[in-house]
Amino acid sequence: MSPDASSTKAAQGLVVPAKWPALGASDEAVWGECQGSGSKPYQTQVHFVAGVPSFKCSCPSRKFPCKHGLALLLFLARDSSAFTAVEPGWVTEWLSSRRDRAEKKEIKAAVAASAAPPDPALVLKRQAQRLQRMCAGARELALWLDDLMRQGLATLSSEQEQNWHAMAARMVDAQAARLGQLLTNAMTLVGQGRDWPARLLQRLGSLQLLLDALQRYEQLPASMQAHVRQALGWSYDRDEVLVAGERVTDQWRVLANVVTELENRLTEHRVWLQGTHTQRRALLLDYAHATRPVEMGWAVGQLVGAELAFYPGDQALRALAVGAAIPAGTDDAAEGAADVVLAQAFAATCCRDEGQEWMAMAKQCLANPWLMQSPVCFRDVHLMHHEPQKTEAGLGSDAVPEWTLHLSADPGSQVRPSVDLRIVDAHAWQMMALSGGEAFNVFGEWNGERLTPLLAWNAAEYWAATHAPQEQ
């Protein structure tokens, strides 16, 4: 359940009695005070529900669970006799709030189950009204884009940003806020890099394709309608997915578990899985406000048995877990095994060759032209660092990527293809340290332009990202 190897190592260093002035446990929880660098100890607590732990700690760490929570469980496993403290008020208060939330959730579910189902005719009427408003907004945006293209991309500058934001606000009024977000994201490319006109034209072309699809929504196949809805931010209700979504049962290897910080203190939590039997990849996606942590106990490397319900659409990636996920008790990687065991597990799971990976991405893009991120795994790659280069005035600062991956060469070819990386320096240097300049393997998200590495491993150890940059 550790987010990465460094957290595990740090937690092991905290399993010292002198670090814990107070330790306690009950049938449903364990708690302790861990002395950190400050004068006040960190209040660490773990609540177990059906054997699944939920963590809370007063430390400022953004990792989940933090090293203090991990150390607390390690200490309990090694010496449960040390946990003698009476349950303090801060633990009682937390457990009470969790019980209250669980009770309210059960009541809400019971009310929903006993309530009369919504009138199908009324639901269809509301959907038709929203679709009509969105289509009207799409027509207005299409005319705006026509005017923009007639003037030419060369006339664009950051001074026109206000006009773009005004049009984006119009899309909010048309219940198509996602169209406005796509527009403002495209505006950020203006003047950024030597090839910004080409990248901007690609973004605007994708946006125009979405506008055209929206105008022909009723004539599209059901699978394409599903992708259009999701591209527009017109989300499906959880119950819809659980009732009508494709069900796949497998033992799933957790390949990534990352958090992305969005605007207005909103966080996005992404968990990537791959089935060991079906070889299918799945994305579990959740959002939470900063005041409510996301509780998803998917540890990188863990093998869990679960049934997933996939969202509508061909080549769908996003899914929901049906019921509780059950850790595979016979899997060493799920038991917090050594890095070498986890590295072997990743190698056995991500067994596609490079051609199969590119073909899988091509099928996903064919089924869903607006797919933001495709999962991909490359084997035997080399990480390369390029010194930042100064660019001419007005061309932006990212004309030359600082980090690239050199892929394995095709048979009979002396040229090694490469992909640009979307990565912070700290993560890149950690991957460089792992590789030692030698070949390694990487799993990440491809956005059509760059790869965001989320997991890297060689024969002896692995590295996993805990945070990822926001997609623009």
Side-chain angles (χ1 to χ4, degrees):
M1 66 182 69
S2 176
D4 51 40
S6 62
S7 295
T8 302
K9 184 176 181 180
Q12 292 171 341
L14 292 175
V15 186
V16 180
K19 287 283 188 180
W20 299 87
L23 290 167
S26 65
D27 293 338
E28 62 175 333
V30 58
W31 60 88
E33 295 182 350
C34 183
Q35 187 62 56
S37 57
S39 58
K40 187 177 181 180
Y42 295 126
Q43 296 176 340
T44 308
Q45 47 201 322
V46 183
H47 183 207
F48 295 92
V49 178
V52 179
S54 295
F55 297 81
K56 184 179 181 181
C57 184
S58 61
C59 75
S61 174
R62 296 190 300 177
K63 293 185 178 181
F64 187 82
C66 67
K67 61 183 180 181
H68 308 103
L70 296 172
L72 186 63
L73 294 187
L74 286 173
F75 206 136
L76 181 66
R78 294 183 185 181
D79 186 10
S80 60
S81 63
F83 290 72
T84 58
V86 178
E87 183 177 300
W90 49 272
V91 174
T92 303
E93 182 180 355
W94 183 58
L95 294 178
S96 177
S97 66
R98 286 182 55 81
R99 295 190 195 101
D100 289 343
R101 287 199 301 270
E103 183 178 351
K104 290 178 181 178
K105 188 176 181 180
E106 291 178 358
I107 294 174
K108 185 178 179 180
V111 171
S114 60
D119 184 0
L122 182 59
V123 172
L124 291 175
K125 181 180 179 181
R126 289 175 178 172
Q127 290 180 350
Q129 290 173 341
R130 178 172 182 180
L131 181 61
Q132 186 177 11
R133 286 191 288 268
M134 295 175 76
C135 286
R139 287 192 293 270
E140 182 179 0
L141 180 55
L143 290 174
W144 189 87
L145 288 176
D146 286 344
D147 292 339
L148 178 71
M149 299 310 297
R150 275 196 296 269
Q151 296 172 16
L153 298 183
T155 64
L156 293 178
S157 69
S158 58
E159 297 176 356
Q160 300 171 347
E161 185 175 352
Q162 184 176 357
N163 295 334
W164 291 59
H165 283 290
M167 178 51 64
R170 297 278 295 172
M171 295 302 101
V172 175
D173 296 337
Q175 290 189 279
R178 178 60 179 163
L179 291 177
Q181 183 182 358
L182 293 174
L183 184 64
T184 53
N185 286 349
M187 177 63 190
T188 62
L189 299 178
V190 175
Q192 298 300 311
R194 295 179 181 272
D195 61 342
W196 73 261
R199 290 186 289 123
L200 177 60
L201 187 61
Q202 182 182 14
R203 293 284 187 94
L204 295 180
S206 176
L207 177 56
Q208 182 64 56
L209 182 64
L210 182 57
L211 298 177
D212 293 342
L214 180 56
Q215 298 300 333
R216 299 179 55 246
Y217 184 83
E218 298 293 348
Q219 289 77 45
L220 297 176
S223 60
M224 186 58 71
Q225 286 183 347
H227 289 311
V228 171
R229 271 191 61 166
Q230 294 175 68
L232 291 167
W234 189 356
S235 61
Y236 283 90
D237 185 76
R238 178 183 177 88
D239 291 337
E240 288 184 80
V241 179
L242 293 177
V243 170
E246 177 191 2
R247 299 289 186 98
V248 179
T249 301
D250 203 341
Q251 288 193 327
W252 304 89
R253 181 73 65 186
V254 182
L255 299 181
N257 186 333
V258 294
V259 173
T260 298
E261 297 179 0
L262 307 178
E263 297 177 351
N264 300 320
R265 302 184 68 194
L266 187 69
T267 57
E268 179 186 71
H269 198 134
R270 299 198 304 283
V271 176
W272 282 104
L273 310 173
Q274 181 163 330
T276 57
H277 302 296
T278 62
Q279 288 296 302
R280 183 161 184 178
R281 287 178 183 153
L283 171 65
L284 306 183
L285 185 64
D286 195 10
Y287 296 90
H289 194 263
T291 58
R292 182 185 70 84
V294 181
E295 298 183 2
M296 297 178 68
W298 302 84
V300 174
Q302 188 179 29
L303 186 68
V304 294
E307 182 181 16
L308 302 184
F310 283 83
Y311 277 66
D314 291 340
Q315 300 288 324
L317 291 170
R318 188 178 177 185
L320 295 174
V322 181
I326 303 174
T330 59
D331 180 58
D332 290 335
E335 301 285 333
D339 283 6
V340 62
V341 177
L342 287 170
Q344 293 171 355
F346 293 136
T349 302
C350 300
C351 57
R352 300 175 183 171
D353 60 35
E354 191 175 307
Q356 291 174 320
E357 291 288 350
W358 286 115
M359 182 59 69
M361 281 197 295
K363 291 180 178 179
Q364 291 162 6
C365 292
L366 180 63
N368 181 7
W370 307 283
L371 184 64
M372 295 292 294
Q373 298 153 332
S374 295
V376 63
C377 179
F378 293 125
R379 296 184 295 176
D380 298 327
V381 301
H382 286 81
L383 180 62
M384 301 296 294
H385 178 247
H386 309 277
E387 290 297 330
Q389 298 184 15
K390 294 182 180 180
T391 60
E392 299 175 9
L395 292 179
S397 59
D398 65 339
V400 179
E402 292 189 34
W403 297 95
T404 59
L405 276 184
H406 284 211
L407 310 182
S408 55
D410 295 331
S413 172
Q414 300 299 320
V415 179
R416 298 193 66 178
S418 64
V419 295
D420 298 337
L421 296 186
R422 185 171 166 269
I423 188 173
V424 297
D425 280 346
H427 287 177
W429 287 116
Q430 289 168 5
M431 288 174 54
M432 183 69 82
L434 175 140
S435 69
E438 301 295 329
F440 65 102
N441 313 296
V442 64
F443 169 83
E445 297 170 336
W446 174 254
N447 67 358
E449 298 174 1
R450 297 189 179 188
L451 177 73
T452 302
L454 302 179
L455 173 69
W457 74 95
N458 54 24
E461 55 184 334
Y462 78 98
W463 165 87
T466 57
H467 287 72
Q470 182 177 355
E471 186 69 43
Q472 296 292 335

